[in-house]
Amino acid sequence: MMLDLLFPNRCIHCNRIIEPDLLVCDLCFNQIHFTHYDYFGNNLIKEKCRLLFPVEHTYALIQFEEEGVSRKIIHELKYRSREKTGKILAEWTTERLDFKDAKPDLMVSVPLHPKKLRERGYNQLHLFTETLSGFYKIPFEHTLIKRNHYSKAQALKDKKHRLESVNTFSLNTAVTGKHILLIDDVFTTGNTVSSIAWEILKAGDNKISVLIMAVDI
C-alpha cells in the first residue's frame, strides 16, 4: 500500500517502524509491566474497591507509570485519536484473563458526557469492550449508565483534585439480578467506578466486578 510506504506505522514509544496492526515494537512491548492479577483472588484494586463498595472480582491489565510505555499507550487511546489501541489492549487482555465458569452477565463501560464525546469523537472504552464481548461471548451495554456532568479529564488533574472531584452518574434503564463487569481505563482513586457501582447496586439485586486497562495506585 502506498500510504503504508509514505506513512508507515511506528512504535508509539521509540518510533521504530512496525507492522500496521501493532502498537509498539517487541523491545518496547517487553517494557510494559503487566500486572498478572488473579481476577478471582486479592489484588490492589480489590482492596481499594472493598473500602468503597461491595465488589466481587477485579482485574487490571497493566501498571500505569508516568514515565513508562503504559502512559503513552493510554494517552494514544484517549487523546490522540488512536481508537484501535482499545482493540489491541483487549487482545492483550484476552491472552491473560480467564473468567472460567464465572462469567459476568453484562459488560458496562464508563460513559463520557455527551459534550466530551462530541469533542473526542469516540468513547475510548467502546472498542475495547466490544472486542472483549466478542471474545468472551458476554453482552455489552453502552447506554446503561449516563454521566450527568461535564468535567475536566481525570488524567489532566493532579491527584489532589482527583480526590476532590465528584462524578455523578445515573441509570438510563433499570437493571436487576445481574453480575455486571464495570470497565474503565485508569484506576487511581476508585471514585469513578465507585459512583457507578453504587447506582447499579441501588437499582436491584446486582453484583459488581471491575476490569481496568491500567492501574495507577
Side-chain angles (χ1 to χ4, degrees):
M1 297 283 290
M2 183 60 67
L3 286 178
D4 292 336
L5 293 174
L6 295 174
F7 305 102
N9 187 37
R10 293 182 179 273
C11 173
I12 64 169
H13 189 58
C14 72
N15 210 37
R16 288 186 179 92
I17 294 176
I18 55 177
E19 295 296 322
D21 58 342
L22 297 180
L23 187 62
V24 293
C25 68
D26 290 342
L27 290 175
C28 293
F29 180 84
N30 290 331
Q31 297 179 41
I32 299 172
H33 293 154
F34 291 96
T35 67
H36 305 292
Y37 279 180
D38 178 0
Y39 173 74
F40 295 100
N42 291 322
N43 54 60
L44 289 176
I45 294 181
K46 182 171 288 185
E47 292 173 8
K48 182 68 174 181
C49 286
R50 282 178 170 170
L51 297 174
L52 301 171
F53 62 91
V55 67
E56 300 297 314
H57 311 297
T58 57
Y59 183 81
L61 177 63
I62 59 178
Q63 181 72 45
F64 186 90
E65 298 166 321
E66 288 295 339
E67 303 301 326
V69 183
S70 60
R71 181 181 185 275
K72 290 188 177 181
I73 291 172
I74 297 299
H75 279 236
E76 285 287 318
L77 175 64
K78 296 181 69 170
Y79 307 119
R80 296 178 184 171
S81 301
R82 289 281 294 264
E83 187 179 9
K84 75 171 186 179
T85 301
K87 182 175 185 295
I88 295 170
L89 287 168
E91 290 169 350
W92 292 351
T93 301
T94 61
E95 293 168 359
R96 293 164 175 82
L97 174 59
D98 183 359
F99 292 116
K100 300 179 182 177
D101 295 324
K103 292 197 300 186
D105 300 311
L106 184 66
M107 292 182 170
V108 175
S109 55
V110 172
L112 295 177
H113 186 272
K115 180 179 178 182
K116 180 69 66 63
L117 184 60
R118 290 193 297 271
E119 291 172 354
R120 188 172 295 170
Y122 64 97
N123 183 317
Q124 72 275 9
L125 296 172
H126 283 183
L127 185 56
F128 178 79
T129 302
E130 291 161 13
T131 304
L132 294 177
S133 172
F135 180 85
Y136 292 113
K137 308 303 180 187
I138 301 172
F140 66 87
E141 177 55 70
H142 289 326
T143 60
L144 179 69
I145 300 288
K146 68 176 179 178
R147 187 187 293 262
N148 298 321
H149 304 292
Y150 178 85
S151 62
K152 183 179 179 182
Q154 288 288 90
L156 301 180
K157 301 176 184 177
D158 58 36
K159 289 194 177 183
K160 177 182 177 183
H161 288 93
R162 289 181 212 172
L163 286 167
E164 292 173 349
S165 66
V166 177
N167 292 312
T168 303
F169 300 89
S170 58
L171 289 176
N172 276 320
T173 56
V175 57
T176 59
K178 298 292 185 181
H179 180 186
I180 293 177
L181 184 67
L182 183 56
I183 298 174
D184 201 3
D185 47 27
V186 180
F187 185 102
T188 304
T189 66
N191 288 345
T192 298
V193 293
S194 177
S195 297
I196 296 175
W198 279 115
E199 292 300 319
I200 295 172
L201 292 169
K202 289 187 299 183
D205 185 24
N206 298 309
K207 296 179 180 179
I208 298 288
S209 289
V210 174
L211 170 60
I212 305 293
M213 291 178 177
V215 57
D216 180 21
I217 298 178

